[in-house]
Structures are given as structure tokens and as C-alpha cells.
Amino acid sequence: MSETNSGKTPVDFWFDPLCPWAWMTSRWVLEVEKVRDIEVRWHIMSLAVLNEDKLDTLPDEYREMLATKAWKPIRVVTAAWQKHGEDVLGPLYTALGTRIHNQGEGPTVEAVAGALADVGLPASLIDYADQEDFEFDAELRASHKEGIEKVGQEVGTPVIALPGADGEQIAFFGPVVTPTPQGEAAARLWDGTLLVASTPGFYEIKRTRTAGPDFSNL
């Protein structure tokens, strides 16, 4: 099993800061990091990229959201990554998610600018939000492709991947959960998720969502 420099198992997590469900899952993985021997490594993916060839089939509200809100935060995050290194991704995602989701600011330019300030990144990075001919588009799409190809085009964000005990990579979408499990509850969900995800031929377990994202314990 591969290890990070710290000797822990690397867990690669692909996120789009726009998605509230990915945010919930990301906070769960950080809880797991406290009670299991793992280390999270952050990567970007994009709901806008994922759906750009499906716009005609999407509900009007979701299509409008992708067109007007999805590109701005992910461009800024990508630019921060490219100009300041991958180590900024985790702190910036936390700052963005706290503002966008926990504090209800939404994926506004003001929220993104505030998140940059929260983690001490240059304010000038906000200029990438509206850069339609995006300087780092190729890097954004490459990271997105790396994550989504592990699980297929029929899912979204988040994608989680880690090395399995037999050398085969374990990768999956989700889990979708609310509120975020904490402590040993987080560990139990992690253990169960790995059990089913590592079972040969296992693809899906699902039930209808009856509640929206609950950020009250974050």
C-alpha cells in the first residue's frame, strides 16, 4: 500500500467548491483523518466541465447555475493552485466552503475574495473568476479528467481514491451524507465505505434523499 511522506495512506479527494454535498463529504474525510491512518490530498474537478455537453438535458435552474456560478470559484481555485502550489488547495477549499455553505454567502465573487483573504492569498487571484479565455483551463480539465475517469461520467463530485491492500486502487463517488458524521461515527462510515468499494463487482448503493445538506455541526 502506498504511503505519504508521513507514512499514512494517501486519500485523494476531487472537489468542486460549488457542491454542498462534496463539502459535507470533505468535512467527513477530515474527521476520518483524525481517527484513521490517512492523509487527504486535494484535487479539483468541475461540475461545469462535467455537464458542458449535457446542458440541453438539464433543468433550467441547474443549467443557469452552471452558466452563471460554477466557473468563477473553480477558476480562482485552479489559478491559486497553479501559482502557489497544491498545498493551498486544502486551506482554500475550507475557507471557500465555510463562506459559501456554512455562512450562506453562496458562490459569489465577494465570498471567493473573502476566502482568498482568509488564507493569505493575493487578492489579485479574483481576477481569474471572469477570465473566459482561462489561462489554466488545460490544467483544470486535466485534473477533472483524472478524477472522473476513476469512477465514470455518470457521477459527480466528490471523487475519492486511495490504494487498496492488494495494490488495486479503490475509487468511488460520495458518500452523500448529512449531517457530517464525526468521531467514531465518521470512522465507522469510512470502514464500511471501503468495505463495499473494495468488493469486486460492487457498483452502487443508494436511497432517495429526504433532507438537504445540514451544516449545523460544522
Side-chain angles (χ1 to χ4, degrees), residues 129-204:
D130 293 312
Q131 191 182 74
E132 293 187 8
D133 187 15
F134 182 44
E135 179 179 349
F136 303 112
D137 186 68
E139 289 82 359
L140 188 163
R141 290 174 183 274
S143 180
H144 173 88
K145 181 179 179 182
E146 181 185 10
I148 205 67
E149 283 188 343
K150 296 180 184 300
V151 290
Q153 296 290 330
E154 292 77 27
V155 299
T157 177
V159 169
I160 296 175
L162 70 158
D166 59 0
E168 294 292 324
Q169 190 173 57
I170 301 169
F172 50 90
F173 159 73
V176 176
V177 61
T178 187
T180 295
Q182 298 182 337
E184 281 304 311
R188 288 194 300 271
L189 178 57
W190 177 255
D191 295 342
T193 299
L194 292 191
L195 178 63
V196 296
S198 61
T199 300
F202 180 86
Y203 293 106
E204 185 172 359

